[in-house]
Amino acid sequence: MVKICCIGAGYVGGPTMAVIAIKCPAIEVVVVDISKPRIDAWNSDTLPIYEPGLDDVVKACRGKNLFFSTDVEKHVAEADIIFVSVNTPTKTRGLGAGKAADLTYWESAARMIADVSKSDKIVVEKSTVPVKTAEAIEKILTHNSKGINYQILSNPEFLAEGTAIEDLFKPDRVLIGGRETPGGQKAVQALKEVYAHWVPEANIITTNLWSAELSKLAANAFLAQRISSVNAMSALCEATGANVSEVSYAIGKDSRIGPKFLNASVGFGGSCFQKDILNLVYICECNGLPEVANYWKQVIKINDYQKSRFVNRVVSSMFNTVSGKKIAVLGFAFKKDTGDTRETPAIDVCKGLVGDKAQVSIYDPQVTEEQIQRDLAMNKFDWDHPMHLQPTSPTAVKQKLDYQKIFDNMQKPAFVFDGRNVVDAEKLREMGFIVYSIGKPL
Ligand code: NAD
Ligand code: UGA
C-alpha cells in the first residue's frame, strides 16, 4: 500500500488529501499539522474550513484510508510520498519584506523530513513557492540525507476556495514538474499514477521543475490581471455611461478572450493573488527585470485603487461624510461560499468607512464575530468603534433579504452600494433606493 503524508492541514492540504483518499481507496493518506486545534477540528463533526461538498468526502473516508494527526514525525517517517502544503505568506520583515515569500514553514518542514526519514521519499511541493525553491529544498535534504534518496517534485494546486471539491474532482489540469533524470522521471510517474485514478491522462501535464513552479505564479498573475483589467474598465465605464457588464459580455464573446473571470468587483481578495504577484515582482527584481516587475505591480495597484475608489464613492454619495451614519455591510469573506477572510477587500472597505467615522455593522453567515474583530484590528488599526454583529444562524444563509422592509426602516435617501454587482438595481430603484453598482450608470 502506497502511503501518503501531507504536511499542513489547511485550505489546500485538507481538501486535496480528502479527494485523493476517496479516489484512491488503496492509498493510505495521513494529513499532519502542528496545530492541535486544526487537527481536532478535522477529526470532529465541525471541520475547520467551510467548503461545499467537503463534509461528505471527509465522512466517506475518514478512519478508513484518511487520517488527521499531530504526530507529524511518525507519519512523515512512514510515508512514501510527502506533500508539503504549509503556508507561504509574504515576508513581513528583513530582506524582501512586503514582497518575497516567507519560506520559514517550508524550510522547517524540509529539515524535519531530513531528520526523521529512514527510507527513500518523494517530496512534493504543493504550497505555492518562488521558482527555484526545489533547488533550496534539495540542498537541505541531500546535505542531511544519511544515504536516503529524495526526489523533489513541484505539483502546484489550482483549486479555488468555494469550489475546491469540484475543482479537485474535475481539474482543468494537474501539473507535475520533476528533474529530467531517470530518478526524477520515475518520481513524476509515481505521482502521475496517483492522479490517474480519476484525472484523464491528457489533463496531467508534466514539465521540468522550474516550469511547474513558475506556472503557478504565472497562472495567478494572469487571473488577477484579468480582474484588474476589468476593474480598470469599470472606472472608465462610470465616467462615460458605458455598462461594465455589457462590456465584459461583449469582449468575452471573443473566443480568444473568453467569458470567465471578467466580473468587475470591489477588488480581488484571498490569501493568494496579492501574495503571489508580490512574490513574482520580487523574483523579477532579483533577476534584474524591473520593467517586468513594474508591469505586474500595476495589477496590485489597480486593485488597491478599486477598493479605495469604492470607499470614496460611498462617502462622496452620502454628502461627503459618513460620520455617525449607520452602514450595514453584508458579506465579509473574500468571496461567496467560503468563510475565509484573508485579504478580503471588506477589510479595506470597512476600515475606510470607519476611518470616516461611520457606524459599521457587519454580517457574514460564514464568519464569526471574533474573526471579523481580529481582521479589523490588524496592522495596529485604531479600533474605537464597536461593531454590532448579528448572531450567525444557519438559516440566515438561505434567507432572502426583504429589501422593502429594509427600505422602510432606513433613513432617506436610502443608499445601496453593490461591490459585486449582485443586486437587482432596477428593482431596488423602483422601491426608492439610490443604487450604486460598480461600473454601471446610476
Ligand atoms: P493554511 O494556512 O490554511 O494551511 C497551512 C497549514 O500548515 C496550517 O494549518 C499550519 O499550521 C500548517 N503548518 C505550517 N508549518 C507546519 C509544519 N512545519 N509542520 C506541520 N504543519 C505546518 O494555508 P493554505 O491556504 O492551505 O495554503 C497552503 C499553500 O497552498 C500556500 O502556499 C498557498 O499559496 C497555496 N495555495 C492555496 C490555495 C487556497 O485556495 N488557499 C490554493 C492554491 C494554492
Ligand atoms: C485563486 C485561483 O482562482 C485558483 O486557481 C488558485 O489556486 C488560488 O487562487 C490560489 O492559488 O490560492 P481563490 O483566491 O480561492 O482562487 O478564488 P477566486 O475565485 O480566484 O477569487 C479570487 C478573488 O477574485 C475573489 O475576491 C473574487 O471575488 C475575485 N474575483 C474573481 C473578481 O473580483 N472577479 C472575477 O471575475 C473573479
Side-chain angles (χ1 to χ4, degrees):
M1 193 186 207
V2 176
K3 285 192 175 181
I4 288 180
C5 175
C6 174
I7 306 176
Y11 284 87
V12 170
T16 312
M17 292 304 123
V19 168
I20 291 184
I22 204 166
K23 294 292 186 182
C24 312
I27 296 180
E28 183 191 280
V29 183
V30 185
V31 191
V32 295
D33 203 293
I34 41 176
S35 161
K36 188 168 180 313
R38 259 214 168 164
I39 291 297
D40 287 347
W42 280 110
N43 282 320
S44 76
D45 285 339
T46 315
L47 302 184
I49 60 176
Y50 172 72
E51 198 58 67
L54 178 64
D55 276 32
D56 293 341
V57 177
V58 170
K59 272 187 199 136
C61 41
R62 193 174 55 193
K64 293 182 187 141
N65 68 329
L66 174 68
F67 305 90
F68 296 91
S69 168
T70 48
D71 199 345
V72 180
E73 299 188 353
K74 172 178 180 276
H75 294 292
V76 165
E78 288 174 358
D80 306 296
I81 303 177
I82 302 166
F83 285 83
V84 184
S85 183
V86 300
N87 32 333
T88 50
T90 306
K91 261 183 106 170
T92 51
R93 312 175 72 162
L95 186 67
K99 282 189 217 151
D102 181 350
L103 295 178
T104 316
Y105 303 105
W106 228 114
E107 185 176 336
S108 90
R111 288 187 187 280
M112 184 267 301
I113 295 171
D115 275 353
V116 305
S117 292
K118 294 183 187 69
S119 56
D120 293 353
K121 308 278 182 215
I122 295 174
V123 177
V124 185
E125 288 177 349
K126 197 43 139 171
S127 304
T128 303
V129 289
V131 54
K132 289 293 208 186
T133 297
E135 198 170 66
I137 301 304
E138 235 168 31
K139 272 195 194 123
I140 293 172
L141 293 174
T142 51
H143 285 272
N144 297 283
S145 80
K146 299 171 283 189
I148 291 165
N149 182 268
Y150 292 103
Q151 287 297 335
I152 322 291
L153 300 179
S154 164
N155 170 223
E157 185 47 61
F158 296 104
L159 69 80
E161 286 177 32
T163 53
I165 297 301
E166 209 180 305
D167 295 343
L168 289 164
F169 276 173
K170 268 186 124 214
D172 285 346
R173 79 305 207 184
V174 165
L175 177 58
I176 306 174
R179 283 277 184 200
E180 287 149 312
T181 57
Q185 289 308 299
K186 203 171 147 210
V188 168
Q189 198 51 38
L191 186 57
K192 206 173 158 181
E193 277 165 22
V194 172
Y195 285 107
H197 281 84
W198 78 99
V199 181
E201 195 159 341
N203 292 5
I204 306 179
I205 306 170
T206 57
T207 64
N208 78 26
L209 269 172
W210 323 129
S211 304
E213 286 179 337
L214 185 55
S215 296
K216 173 64 199 179
L217 295 180
N220 273 0
F222 272 60
L223 288 169
Q225 183 257 358
R226 278 175 78 92
I227 303 170
S228 279
S229 295
V230 78
N231 281 345
M233 281 300 161
S234 76
L236 189 55
C237 286
E238 285 168 32
T240 56
N243 178 326
V244 77
S245 297
E246 293 175 355
V247 173
S248 290
Y249 182 75
I251 62 172
K253 274 287 177 193
D254 184 326
S255 60
R256 293 168 302 174
I257 295 174
K260 293 183 183 165
F261 251 68
L262 287 179
N263 292 322
S265 65
V266 60
F268 59 75
S271 62
C272 291
F273 279 171
Q274 174 162 311
K275 147 178 104 63
D276 293 346
I277 294 174
L278 289 171
N279 185 354
L280 186 66
V281 166
Y282 183 70
I283 296 167
C284 293
E285 285 170 354
C286 291
N287 281 283
L289 303 168
E291 289 82 0
V292 185
N294 283 335
Y295 174 76
W296 289 111
K297 226 184 260 173
Q298 280 305 318
V299 173
I300 308 264
K301 284 194 180 163
I302 286 289
N303 200 47
D304 288 339
Y305 164 73
Q306 188 75 347
K307 289 183 275 189
S308 59
R309 204 169 74 78
F310 187 76
V311 173
N312 293 345
R313 187 63 185 250
V314 175
V315 177
S316 64
S317 305
M318 295 173 81
F319 320 112
N320 247 9
T321 177
V322 287
S323 179
K325 293 177 182 167
K326 290 185 186 167
I327 300 180
V329 175
L330 300 177
F332 192 78
F334 81 98
K335 63 184 277 198
K336 72 170 184 175
D337 280 337
T338 179
D340 192 351
T341 61
R342 291 178 290 181
E343 302 290 340
T344 174
I347 295 177
D348 300 81
V349 169
C350 293
K351 282 184 174 181
L353 295 174
V354 170
D356 213 291
K357 297 204 164 111
Q359 274 188 42
V360 180
S361 307
I362 303 165
Y363 176 67
D364 188 312
Q366 299 299 345
V367 186
T368 61
E369 175 173 352
E370 297 75 50
Q371 184 61 49
I372 295 175
Q373 295 280 13
R374 249 198 317 276
D375 287 330
L376 293 174
M378 271 185 337
N379 301 331
K380 296 194 179 65
F381 182 69
D382 189 13
W383 186 252
D384 59 355
H385 290 72
M387 286 172 301
H388 318 283
L389 296 169
Q390 306 253 3
T392 302
S393 95
T395 50
V397 188
K398 295 187 185 81
Q399 265 170 21
K400 276 200 140 190
L401 292 168
D402 182 344
Y403 280 103
Q404 187 61 56
K405 208 163 146 195
I406 293 172
F407 180 78
D408 294 343
N409 285 308
M410 281 173 77
Q411 252 187 24
K412 309 296 177 310
F415 293 90
V416 170
F417 299 93
D418 183 1
R420 298 219 172 257
N421 289 344
V422 286
V423 303
D424 185 341
E426 278 323 304
K427 212 164 153 196
L428 295 192
R429 283 189 189 114
E430 277 166 25
M431 284 177 196
F433 281 105
I434 296 174
V435 184
Y436 163 66
S437 309
I438 287 194
K440 297 188 179 187
L442 281 176

